Each structure stands twice: as structure tokens, then as C-alpha cells.
Amino acid sequence: MKKLHIKTFGCQMNVYDSARMADLLAPLGYEPTEDPANADMVILNTCHIREKAAEKVYSDLGRLRLDKETRAKRGHRTVIAVAGCVAQAEGEEILRRAPHVDLVVGPQTYHRLPEMVARAERAGGRQLDTDFPADPKFDHLPKPGAAGQPSAFLSVQEGCDKFCTFCVVPYTRGAEYSRPQPDILADARELLTQGVCEITLVGQNVNAYHGGKGGLGGLLRALADLGVPRLRYTTSHPADMDDDLIAAHGDLDQLMPFLHLPVQSGSDGVLKAMNRNHDVADYYRVVDRLRKVRPDLALSSDFIVGFPGETDADFQATLDLVKDIGFAQAYSFKYSPRPGTPAASMEIQVPEELKSARLSSLQTQLNNDQETFNRACLDRVMPVLLDRPGRHPGQAVGRSPYMQAVHVEDGEKWLNQVVDLQITAAHPNSLSGVPLSPNAKACA
Ligand code: SAH
Ligand code: SF4
Ligand code: F3S
């Protein structure tokens, strides 16, 4: 067997794509390894969303050059591939700056990797494929493999037509595309037969899904009917939370009470300049309606501070929104100007020190709220899917319905099952629990 190492940066779409690349290369004799230094092939599946994310690729490529040279001295070839959004945005430049890179492949053409790899193994020579083909890659992907995991990502939607003024995604991933519902149900059936008990539907704008009757709400209902025990979806846009999707949160027990709903800013002026297509009042309305049908819904969000022209008052409005909503967790970033996006050339860029100060005060508030949310879970009993071993011997780790990490000592025997846990300790970033009874629930 040849060894394949894939390092994944960025969002859930890249996690999904990395798993599919492993599925595609398995028939060529590649099996996964955690160790890049002994891999016959290394794929960096990259992210272009912020400058720092993109820069990481070049520092990793520097290390890989040394590994490749060391292996070459021992008579082994190493194929190095760059995939993902940096590949799409900077393909030519990668080939120019990193002569040891053999393959560059974009997010919509990686189904062609087997041919590219075979060619690279046979004849050598460098290849670049960053097309946006007319026929979707999904039609060329093998059946999804769950790799023995109880929780799987299932891509239902790709790309983005929203063009928020700060964002590279519409350029790196291309136009919105929704997979036909029957194809998604077939993948879900396959995952269920492999013992998967939680499916997270993924897409850049997953709730813009329109590949079947009833949009994303209809798809979730169909998956619940199919017998998927736990369902989640990410990432949603507030402007696409339609009535049926909101209702599904009340109707479907299988749909976990957690929603990642990025708001970016609490200021109407900034939201408008970002081209987000909704205002602050719309966001509150959606949250109110969701909480009405599912009172225990936990919310998560993304924030950008220091968007061009953001004033102290705009930033204060973001803090106010955060206080009002009470997020269970959140991601927050300093605005990073991205080449070719409208916001990068807006006149009033916010100074770096001010961005840093705003980020730190926002994060103080968000961390407090997260701790408060975690503390409120003390003594509660929740069904937790234990999906991986922990760092301590015998420990298992899983996700609560609200996406918190939960640690269980001596929990190894319950791995890959949903277990009712009593929460015994709350930490800033996780919980600890003990099984309520010795009878774990097998999930599938
Ligand atoms: N499709 C999702 C988000 C995709 S990108 C949505 O519409 O919400 C993930 C997050 O990265 C975004 O929500 C945003 O908060 C952040 N982000 C995107 N571009 C950025 C930039 N140029 N600078 C800083 N953060 C950015
Ligand atoms: Fe980027 Fe906006 Fe599309 Fe999200 S909706 S991927 S932030 S352009
Ligand atoms: Fe990054 Fe591309 Fe995802 S830019 S966030 S990997 S869509």
C-alpha cells in the first residue's frame, strides 16, 4: 500500500472534500497516514478566506520540500498536491513559488485526481486543473465512505452567489449549485448502512439549497423519514431561513437544537456595506421565530470586526447584539482584505491596532457568554454521541446536542454510541459527564 497524507485547512466543505479525495485515491492503493514525512503523496487542502490562512500553505510547502528531498535520498518519490481554495485562487503562483509541487487542483475538479496522480506517477511533469466544469464533480465521486466514524458530513450545496463584499468564496468555489435530492438520499442510505448515526448537511449556503421539493426543510424531513437518527446543517445565511426550515426545527426531533447562523455585524450600515442582504431587525426576527418553535435552540455565529468604515458606534452595536442574543459559541475575526474583493479597495480601512482592540473586547464578551451557557448545562442529562477517544487513557469525547465537547472518563466502551450523560463539570470550552445508566443507546 502507498501512504496518503491529507492536511485540511478551512471550512466544513474542505473537510468533506478531503474525505472524498481519500475515497477517490483508495482504489489506486493509497491508504491514509497521519505522518507527512513518510507519505508517498501529500495533499494540502487549502483555505483562502483570510490572508493568514493562505500564507500557511507556503510555510507548510517549505517543510514538505525538505521531507520530499529526504525521501528522494532514500529512493522514494513523493507526490505533492495543493487542492482547495488557495489552489483555485493562486494556482499558477503556487507552481512558480514551489517547484516541488506536482499537482494543483481546484475544489470543483478534484474528481480528476486519480488521472492526474496516475499521470504524475507514470511520467512526472506538473499539472494544474482549476476549471469550473459544466458537469458537477458529484456525478464523478465514488459512494461516500464514513471511515468508521459515527458522524459524517454530506455535501448538499456548493458555491455562493451572494458576493458579500469581503469574501473570496464566490470566486474560489464558483456559482451556487444544489445536488438533486435523490442523490443526497442515496448517499445518506449508504452512510446509514456504514453505521453513521449523525449526518451534517454541508454547503457554503446550505439553506439556499433548492435541489428538491421544499428546499432544505424538505430535505431534512426526507432524511428524518429515512431514519437518520441525528441531523445538523451548516453554514446558513440569515436571509435564507425560510418558513418551512424554521418550522422543521420545531417538528423534527432528529434535528439537533443548535444552529450556526453568521451575522458578521450588529450595525445596519456595516451589514449594508457588506452586502449581506438583511438588517439587524431581520436577524432578531429569525432568532425569535426559531426560539419560539425550539426554545432550547443554541446559537452560534461568525463576526468580522474592523470592516472598512466600521465606527466605534457600529462596533458597539455588534456588542449590543451579542449581549441581546446570548450565543452559545462563536467565531470572530479581524477583517482581512482579500485581493479582488470590493471591500479591499474601500477607502476607509480600519487600523490594525483598532481591529485588535475590538476583537479582544468582542471575544471577552463571547467567551463569557459561552461559559455562562456551559455552566447552565451543569447537572442536566443529555444524549451525547461519543465519537472519538480522548487524550487520557480510556477517555471518550463526544458532542452534546448543542455542539459542546463532552469528556467521559472510562468512556471508551461507549465509543460510536449515543449515551445519556449527566453533566458533572462545566469548563470554558467543554463539559464533563458520566453515563446515567449502564445502558448506552446504540444509535443506528
Ligand atoms: N458562507 C458563510 C461563511 C463562509 S466564510 C456565511 O455566509 O456566513 C466563514 C467566515 O469567515 C465568515 O462568516 C466570515 O465571518 C469570515 N470571513 C470571510 N471573509 C473574511 C475576511 N475577508 N476577513 C475576515 N473574516 C472573513
Ligand atoms: Fe462568503 Fe457571503 Fe457567500 Fe458566505 S454568503 S460564502 S460570507 S459571499
Ligand atoms: Fe476557506 Fe474555501 Fe472554505 S476559502 S472557508 S476553504 S470555501
Side-chain angles (χ1 to χ4, degrees):
M1 288 301 268
K2 291 172 280 188
K3 301 282 184 200
L4 168 67
H5 177 79
I6 306 184
K7 182 166 177 184
T8 309
F9 303 84
C11 64
Q12 71 280 357
M13 305 308 294
N14 268 12
V15 176
Y16 174 85
D17 291 342
S18 290
R20 294 293 73 76
M21 287 190 243
D23 290 343
L24 278 163
L25 293 174
L28 273 68
Y30 283 95
E31 67 175 16
T33 173
E34 295 293 313
D35 178 14
N38 286 310
D40 300 283
M41 175 165 184
V42 178
I43 303 176
L44 298 181
N45 195 11
T46 61
C47 174
H48 202 241
I49 201 83
R50 286 168 289 276
E51 196 179 351
K52 266 200 194 129
E55 274 171 358
K56 277 190 205 143
V57 178
Y58 292 100
S59 56
D60 270 41
L61 282 176
R63 273 191 294 276
L64 287 175
R65 183 170 59 84
L66 302 179
D67 290 341
K68 184 166 178 160
E69 286 168 3
T70 311
R71 279 174 52 83
K73 281 187 202 136
R74 290 196 233 116
H76 300 304
R77 282 190 61 183
T78 314
V79 177
I80 298 183
V82 181
C85 291
V86 183
Q88 189 66 44
E90 300 180 7
E92 302 278 356
E93 193 181 343
I94 293 169
L95 289 178
R96 194 174 51 75
R97 276 176 67 176
H100 54 297
V101 169
D102 302 282
L103 310 176
V104 173
V105 66
Q108 304 309 352
T109 47
Y110 67 77
H111 57 283
R112 297 175 184 157
L113 258 179
E115 301 151 43
M116 294 174 82
V117 173
R119 223 176 298 145
E121 285 177 339
R122 236 185 2 255
R126 311 175 76 203
Q127 302 165 58
L128 169 82
D129 190 343
T130 49
D131 284 356
F132 286 113
D135 61 331
K137 68 184 172 211
F138 295 103
D139 295 349
H140 305 277
L141 294 180
K143 279 186 181 172
Q149 301 294 314
S151 182
F153 282 168
L154 173 47
S155 176
V156 304
Q157 183 277 341
E158 267 275 337
C160 182
D161 295 340
K162 296 235 168 12
F163 292 92
C164 300
T165 53
F166 52 80
C167 184
V168 293
V169 171
Y171 312 98
T172 62
R173 291 272 165 171
E176 258 183 35
Y177 168 76
S178 291
R179 294 181 67 196
Q181 182 165 314
D183 295 3
I184 296 165
L185 296 182
D187 279 4
R189 266 187 222 105
E190 174 63 30
L191 292 169
L192 286 175
T193 60
Q194 294 180 37
V196 163
C197 53
E198 178 178 82
I199 293 181
T200 302
L201 305 182
V202 298
Q204 259 89 28
N205 277 285
V206 72
N207 58 341
Y209 176 78
H210 57 266
K213 251 199 257 147
L216 188 67
L219 178 61
L220 287 163
R221 290 171 200 276
L223 287 161
D225 287 345
L226 203 66
V228 182
R230 288 160 82 103
L231 286 163
R232 302 178 185 274
Y233 63 92
T234 199
T235 294
S236 302
H237 192 288
D240 289 325
M241 290 301 301
D242 64 34
D243 294 349
D244 185 52
L245 182 56
I246 293 174
H249 279 272
D251 298 341
L252 300 178
D253 289 339
Q254 295 90 336
L255 187 54
M256 293 290 102
F258 174 87
L259 181 63
H260 182 63
L261 193 61
V263 64
Q264 316 297 356
S265 167
S267 149
D268 281 342
V270 173
L271 288 176
K272 197 164 175 35
M274 287 177 164
N275 191 32
R276 287 292 288 179
N277 278 318
H278 69 84
D279 61 16
V280 173
D282 295 327
Y283 192 82
Y284 280 113
R285 244 189 317 270
V286 167
V287 169
D288 282 350
R289 293 182 60 202
L290 283 161
R291 284 181 166 159
K292 209 162 268 157
V293 296
R294 186 76 212 224
D296 70 330
L297 185 81
L299 285 163
S300 149
S301 202
D302 289 342
F303 295 90
I304 295 177
V305 299
F307 184 81
E310 184 189 66
T311 62
D312 285 341
D314 291 325
F315 177 62
Q316 186 56 48
T318 298
L319 289 177
D320 293 344
L321 177 140
V322 167
K323 280 189 192 130
D324 283 348
I325 303 267
F327 292 97
Q329 54 163 273
Y331 301 89
S332 45
F333 313 99
K334 285 192 264 187
Y335 168 69
S336 169
R338 305 307 290 130
T341 59
S345 50
M346 288 179 181
E347 260 169 42
I348 321 165
Q349 296 287 329
V350 174
E352 199 53 33
E353 313 77 68
L354 191 51
K355 285 187 201 170
S356 299
R358 284 179 186 168
L359 185 66
S360 116
S361 74
L362 175 61
Q363 289 185 339
T364 302
Q365 177 70 42
L366 290 169
N367 291 341
N368 277 340
D369 292 351
Q370 182 173 322
E371 263 195 86
T372 305
F373 182 79
N374 287 352
R375 268 200 310 274
C377 295
L378 260 180
D379 298 329
R380 285 185 55 184
V381 173
M382 15 179 123
V384 174
L385 171 57
L386 293 172
D387 61 352
R388 57 195 190 279
R391 271 198 301 251
H392 307 167
Q395 192 186 46
V397 191
R399 294 270 163 204
S400 76
Y402 312 106
M403 277 304 270
Q404 298 140 299
V406 190
H407 294 82
V408 188
E409 302 307 322
D410 296 324
E412 223 168 29
K413 55 182 169 295
W414 285 297
L415 272 177
N416 295 355
Q417 298 181 52
V418 178
V419 183
D420 279 333
L421 294 179
Q422 176 140 32
I423 303 306
T424 50
H427 317 285
N429 294 310
S430 65
L431 305 172
S432 305
V434 292
L436 195 62
S437 78
N439 307 319
K441 287 184 253 171
C443 65

